[in-house]
Amino acid sequence: MTDFCSTPTCASRDTPPWAAEGATVCARCVTRLREDCTAIPTLWRPWTATAALYPTRAASGRRAPGVAPAAPANLVALVMTDVRTSWDEPGDLLNPQRALAEVSARILRDGAGQARALGSLSVAESCAVIGVGPLHWWALAQEWAGAMCWTVRLVRHQLGGLAHEVRPRPVGTCEGCQGPLWVSGMSVVCRACRTDRSGFELLGLSA
């Protein structure tokens, strides 16, 4: 079993965090996976409504010469809801149903011998299989658990970005492990090595 977390973001650090007992990813990635699988179905729900396919309305008035009319449908919604959409290049939109179904179908197939077509697994069902189902810990012990956590995180970030969620950003770099520093209440915390610093030290982070 892997000693260090196999999630790409953790594995790329100079000092990766230890994998949780019985898993190939760290305890924080396990917690984040569960949180993401809880949040994703709610973030995905607006994209399944018919109204999501309506084109975005521009300001009223005449178009300037040479300006093409708007598309007859919301192209982002079409890409997001078409199961044929695949991620070819970094930055491309993921199809949440397909991305999550590929993971959950593998868990069901390899962990329980259940064959499921990708189109038959909804986003909510996939999140249940990955994040809280009876095969959850089995999946976390597999060598591909890091890629699973990373895929779910990408879907979560994409849906959050499209919903205009405000994402916190690190305020500096830990001197010990070079991991990011985050504001937590009145303290500055490095989640990688569990370093907790006084909020007054924020003044010297950029020095």
Side-chain angles (χ1 to χ4, degrees):
M1 184 165 291
T2 307
D3 291 331
F4 296 105
C5 181
S6 61
T7 304
T9 50
C10 289
S12 64
R13 297 179 183 174
D14 292 337
T15 307
W18 291 98
E21 184 177 356
T24 60
V25 299
C26 65
R28 175 159 182 77
C29 284
V30 173
T31 299
R32 254 194 328 207
L33 177 69
R34 293 171 181 165
E35 292 173 347
D36 291 342
C37 285
T38 299
I40 285 172
T42 300
L43 290 169
W44 173 245
R45 195 171 297 120
W47 295 98
T48 63
T50 303
L53 296 175
Y54 296 160
T56 304
R57 291 190 176 184
S60 59
R62 295 182 59 187
R63 294 191 306 271
V67 175
N74 185 331
L75 298 182
V76 173
L78 288 175
V79 170
M80 292 270 287
T81 55
D82 189 339
V83 74
R84 296 170 298 178
T85 303
S86 61
W87 189 37
D88 294 323
E89 298 292 339
D92 284 354
L93 282 174
L94 288 166
N95 178 296
Q97 181 180 358
R98 175 175 173 158
L100 297 174
E102 286 177 346
V103 176
S104 58
R106 182 174 188 178
I107 293 173
L108 291 171
R109 183 190 68 232
D110 297 350
Q114 299 178 19
R116 292 288 300 271
L118 299 184
S120 70
L121 287 160
S122 68
V123 166
E125 186 176 2
S126 289
C127 285
V129 170
I130 298 167
V132 297
L135 294 173
H136 168 69
W137 275 107
W138 175 87
L140 288 170
Q142 306 309 306
E143 61 181 14
W144 39 264
M148 172 182 69
C149 291
W150 186 60
T151 298
V152 174
R153 194 66 176 164
L154 284 175
V155 171
R156 169 69 176 82
H157 280 173
Q158 174 179 299
L159 290 174
L162 290 169
H164 306 292
E165 281 188 342
V166 177
R167 289 176 53 193
R169 296 184 179 275
V171 295
T173 302
C174 178
E175 296 175 357
C177 71
Q178 303 304 308
L181 291 173
W182 305 86
V183 174
S184 178
M186 297 299 293
S187 299
V188 182
V189 178
C190 175
R191 297 167 181 167
C193 65
R194 306 298 182 186
T195 301
D196 192 340
R197 305 170 67 182
S198 165
F200 287 104
E201 294 185 63
L202 274 170
L203 298 175
L205 289 176
S206 60

